[in-house]
Amino acid sequence: MLVKWLEPVIETKCEEINNQLLHNENVEVYSSVISIIKKNVNLDENESYELENYFLVAIRNAVEVSYRKGLTDGISIYRK
């Protein structure tokens, strides 16, 4: 129940972490992925867009799953 109550805060923090990962810490990784996608002449524009989107969604999902797991683990430890 506490996690549901914290949902707006969780969403905000996950967005902050995601932005930090993509724009500050891993800008080289993101740029490399985009460069590889654009160099592939066998992909049309829509497929390139989809691959980029999948990459971004995968990072967003990893951040959210990790953040939620850490939060619930922390709450469980605190309650013990």
Side-chain angles (χ1 to χ4, degrees):
M1 183 166 114
L2 180 60
V3 174
K4 284 203 181 276
W5 181 73
L6 291 173
E7 191 63 33
V9 175
I10 293 170
E11 289 178 15
T12 300
K13 292 303 286 182
C14 286
E15 185 67 27
E16 287 174 11
I17 294 167
N18 191 54
N19 287 336
Q20 188 176 29
L21 282 172
L22 288 175
H23 300 293
N24 298 333
E25 296 176 13
N26 288 325
V27 72
E28 290 178 21
V29 172
Y30 178 66
S31 295
S32 294
V33 168
I34 299 307
S35 175
I36 291 167
I37 290 171
K38 288 182 179 181
K39 284 180 186 177
N40 190 332
V41 295
N42 296 322
L43 298 173
D44 65 29
E45 188 175 327
N46 190 44
E47 291 170 323
S48 296
Y49 173 78
E50 284 183 34
L51 279 174
E52 178 183 1
N53 192 48
Y54 292 146
F55 176 75
L56 295 172
V57 168
I59 290 174
R60 181 178 301 277
N61 288 343
V63 166
E64 186 171 341
V65 167
S66 299
Y67 190 87
R68 288 179 184 281
K69 181 67 174 150
L71 182 62
T72 55
D73 286 353
I75 290 170
S76 296
I77 291 169
Y78 178 75
R79 288 183 177 169
K80 288 181 181 181

